[in-house]
Amino acid sequence: MKVLPFPEIGQSAYFLITTANRIIMGNNITEYVLDRLVEVELKEVREDALFVRFCSHRHDVKGTSLVHYFNNELCDIYSDIDIVVGYDGKVRDISDFDFIKDRWENKRPDILKNYSQDIKPLVDGTSLLLKDKEKFIDSLFGGYSFWRFFFQPWYRREYKETENEKILLKNYFGDISLPLDVKSSILSRQDDDSIVWKIKNTASLDSKGFDRKGFARMLKNLTKVYNIDSSLALDFEENYTFIKNGTLSEAELFLNTSVSNWYIVLTGHKLIQVSKTGLEKLKEAEDMAETLENA
């Protein structure tokens, strides 16, 4: 099996990413859909790490909760950042972290002005989080987010046709993390004079690593029911397609966890790489839509 090549240094790739999330708790449903256009550039390859520039050009959310719109506002503070990531896929540093703090201080008054007083605890919590760089990095890149598209141990390794690994989604259920046993199927093939890598992941719950007692306590605190059945069902599937230049052409991530039919957390992410021609057409369509809206 061939080794996945590094993307070309200094060459940007553009991606359209859609994230959908739904949480059902009894009769209460919260959900959102977030669309974003991002640019990713490999700036430098070192012996122990990769230096990556990430830029968010556009983001738009439709949600049912104030926190969904607040998180959309936060996209602006990390709209253009330099990230240091190890070959294990773990983010080690944001080299321009001070710029993030400066952007937050500039944006904070506008958020307080444009939203109700209910947003103040979220604002105060973000200000506190930004005082601790390590905690901010864990918060931004943890969980089951779209960052998983880019930050995994993709490079400097020779793939086998099937692989098994354990991953930990930190704080997936509030303070409770979700450990998974992941099985990967990897295919490398020649396609129209280029090499295409396809990776498919499925997963099951790592029962030994799962804090079932802590999870049950969390459910009891949420429902005030003390004889609750906390059996967790899980559905997980990921598909990645890499092309010959070492970048993703398309990918989909899906994770659904449920306790019976009354507590469900469902998250999905979809990525499509966009060419420069596609970007131009997208810009033309957006300009036309804005013209018609203002007519």
Side-chain angles (χ1 to χ4, degrees):
M1 188 69 66
K2 293 182 178 293
V3 176
L4 186 67
F6 288 115
E8 183 178 348
I9 293 177
Q11 183 67 47
S12 292
Y14 295 85
F15 304 94
L16 286 173
I17 299 175
T18 297
T19 294
N21 175 269
R22 173 179 289 178
I23 298 176
I24 299 174
M25 192 180 304
N27 295 322
N28 184 36
I29 300 176
T30 61
E31 57 188 353
Y32 73 87
V33 176
L34 175 60
D35 294 312
R36 58 182 108 217
L37 172 64
V38 306
E39 175 187 357
V40 181
E41 173 195 351
L42 179 60
K43 296 183 67 175
E44 186 179 354
V45 175
R46 293 188 182 178
E47 190 61 33
D48 61 340
L50 302 173
F51 289 71
V52 178
R53 173 177 170 262
F54 174 87
C55 184
S56 177
H57 289 283
R58 176 174 60 80
H59 50 89
D60 181 62
V61 70
K62 292 182 179 178
T64 58
S65 172
L66 180 64
V67 69
H68 300 150
Y69 292 91
F70 177 73
N71 288 336
N72 187 53
E73 296 281 1
L74 290 185
C75 293
D76 289 335
I77 74 171
Y78 57 84
S79 63
D80 193 350
I81 57 176
D82 293 325
I83 302 166
V84 182
V85 57
Y87 289 102
D88 58 0
K90 295 181 180 179
V91 173
R92 298 181 180 179
D93 194 14
I94 298 174
S95 56
D96 50 356
F97 184 67
D98 286 340
F99 289 106
I100 292 180
K101 293 194 289 186
D102 290 342
R103 292 190 199 110
W104 170 246
E105 290 304 319
N106 291 332
K107 190 171 184 62
R108 183 175 175 275
D110 291 335
I111 293 177
L112 290 171
K113 177 181 177 181
N114 295 330
Y115 291 87
S116 69
Q117 286 296 313
D118 293 336
I119 209 162
K120 192 173 186 305
L122 297 173
V123 170
D124 292 343
T126 301
S127 296
L128 182 62
L129 185 63
L130 282 166
K131 293 181 179 179
D132 189 319
K133 185 178 183 178
E134 185 175 346
K135 286 185 178 179
F136 178 81
I137 290 175
D138 286 344
S139 174
L140 182 60
F141 298 104
Y144 194 65
S145 68
F146 77 95
W147 296 107
R148 184 165 166 79
F149 285 129
F150 307 110
F151 301 140
Q152 291 194 53
W154 295 129
Y155 304 103
R156 279 204 176 171
R157 53 173 293 199
E158 187 167 342
Y159 287 90
K160 302 176 182 178
E161 291 186 358
T162 58
E163 297 184 354
N164 296 280
E165 69 168 334
K166 293 182 180 290
I167 65 172
L168 182 66
L169 303 180
K170 291 183 178 180
N171 302 324
Y172 187 77
F173 301 108
D175 293 330
I176 306 299
S177 298
L178 181 64
L180 300 174
D181 289 318
V182 179
K183 181 178 181 179
S184 301
S185 174
I186 298 103
L187 173 66
S188 171
R189 75 171 193 271
Q190 198 77 15
D191 185 15
D192 296 332
D193 298 323
S194 66
I195 296 175
V196 176
W197 287 262
K198 287 186 176 291
I199 301 174
K200 179 177 181 178
N201 294 338
T202 56
S204 58
L205 179 67
D206 177 4
S207 298
K208 291 183 179 179
F210 184 49
D211 183 6
R212 196 172 296 278
K213 291 183 178 179
F215 183 64
R217 284 195 300 271
M218 183 201 76
L219 295 178
K220 291 174 183 178
N221 291 335
L222 287 173
T223 62
K224 308 304 180 185
V225 176
Y226 293 93
N227 60 345
I228 195 166
D229 179 7
S230 59
S231 300
L232 182 66
L234 183 146
D235 185 12
F236 176 102
E237 183 172 321
E238 300 180 334
N239 291 280
Y240 305 88
T241 300
F242 287 89
I243 51 180
K244 65 177 180 179
N245 64 2
T247 64
L248 281 167
S249 64
E250 58 183 356
E252 291 186 346
L253 314 181
F254 176 80
L255 175 57
N256 183 20
T257 55
S258 61
V259 176
S260 186
N261 62 350
W262 67 269
Y263 180 63
I264 299 171
V265 180
L266 186 153
T267 303
H269 307 279
K270 183 172 183 177
L271 172 149
I272 299 175
Q273 186 171 161
V274 185
S275 65
K276 289 185 178 180
T277 301
L279 284 175
E280 292 171 357
K281 291 182 178 179
L282 179 64
K283 182 66 167 59
E284 290 175 0
E286 290 176 341
D287 290 344
M288 183 178 294
E290 184 177 353
T291 300
L292 292 173
E293 184 177 337
N294 295 330

